[in-house]
Structure formats: structure tokens, C-alpha cells
Amino acid sequence: QKAKVVVVFLSERYLHSANCITEFVHAIRSLKHVIPVLLEDWQGSSKKWSDRCRSCMRGAAREPDRIALNSFDWSRCQSFAPPIRMDRSEQSMRVVEQYISACILRRLHRGS
């Protein structure tokens, strides 16, 4: 609850998990800054990640979460960190780790 930044590892399974959706809804309701990481099974473009989340999550969400998702201003996702793709290679994991660290440091440096 005290976190300022939330790292979301998005996969196809994530989009269809009611528990994961509840966590995502909590993050956006709490006005957290989200860093999306697209895992290898992600079906869609990096640029349209929030559109894919919106369409899939609405179908899998529990009723209170569905209401929150419907009222969420999805254009706010543009203020989140740009998504980064990650595969299982060690090099990819290092790149993602450095990217996440840099995003968090930038966010904390801004004080928001």
C-alpha cells in the first residue's frame, strides 16, 4: 500500500486471472505509477498494451473490479512507463532489471 511504483508482468494468463486483475485495479485506484513488462507470451503490440488489458480484463474481472475498470481513464496509461518486452534469456532479464531500476529512480527523483 505504501508503494509508489508497481511493476506489472503482463502475460496472457495475467489478463485472465481475477486475482491479478484485482491487484491491477488496486494499483490504478491508488494512483500508483505502473511499469508494464510484457512477457514472451504477450499477444499484441507494445503500443496498444493498455487496449489489450482493457478488453481482456473486463471479461475476466470480478464485478467490483469490472466497475472500476469501466470507470478508469485508460488514457492515464500514457503517463506510465513505456512497456518493455522480456523473454527468458539472461540478457533480456538484465536489460529489464536495469530498465525497471531506471524507471523507479526517475519516478522517485520527481517526488511523485
Side-chain angles (χ1 to χ4, degrees):
Q1 291 190 7
K2 293 181 181 182
K4 303 253 186 255
V5 177
V6 176
V7 180
V8 179
F9 291 88
L10 295 168
S11 67
E12 290 304 306
R13 289 179 59 195
Y14 183 98
L15 293 178
H16 299 286
S17 164
N19 290 335
C20 292
I21 294 168
T22 297
E23 289 178 351
F24 184 82
V25 167
H26 178 72
I28 60 176
R29 270 190 177 149
S30 303
L31 302 176
K32 306 292 185 191
H33 182 71
V34 175
I35 301 172
V37 178
L38 309 179
L39 299 180
E40 15 182 23
D41 73 337
W42 180 256
Q43 304 289 318
S45 76
S46 299
K47 292 180 182 177
K48 300 283 187 178
W49 74 272
S50 60
D51 292 343
R52 179 132 178 80
C53 285
R54 177 175 43 207
S55 64
C56 290
M57 286 182 175
R58 282 184 181 156
R62 295 179 186 107
E63 189 58 31
D65 295 334
R66 192 173 298 124
I67 293 167
L69 290 169
N70 287 336
S71 63
F72 176 61
D73 178 8
W74 286 87
S75 66
R76 193 173 148 255
C77 292
Q78 294 172 358
S79 69
F80 296 162
I84 185 168
R85 285 193 175 267
M86 179 176 153
D87 60 34
R88 293 175 194 242
S89 72
E90 195 172 315
Q91 179 181 358
S92 175
M93 289 183 208
R94 275 196 305 272
V95 168
V96 169
E97 182 180 317
Q98 291 169 351
Y99 177 76
I100 291 170
S101 298
C103 288
I104 291 170
L105 289 173
R106 273 195 307 274
R107 194 71 187 175
L108 294 175
H109 179 70
R110 283 188 214 158
S112 54

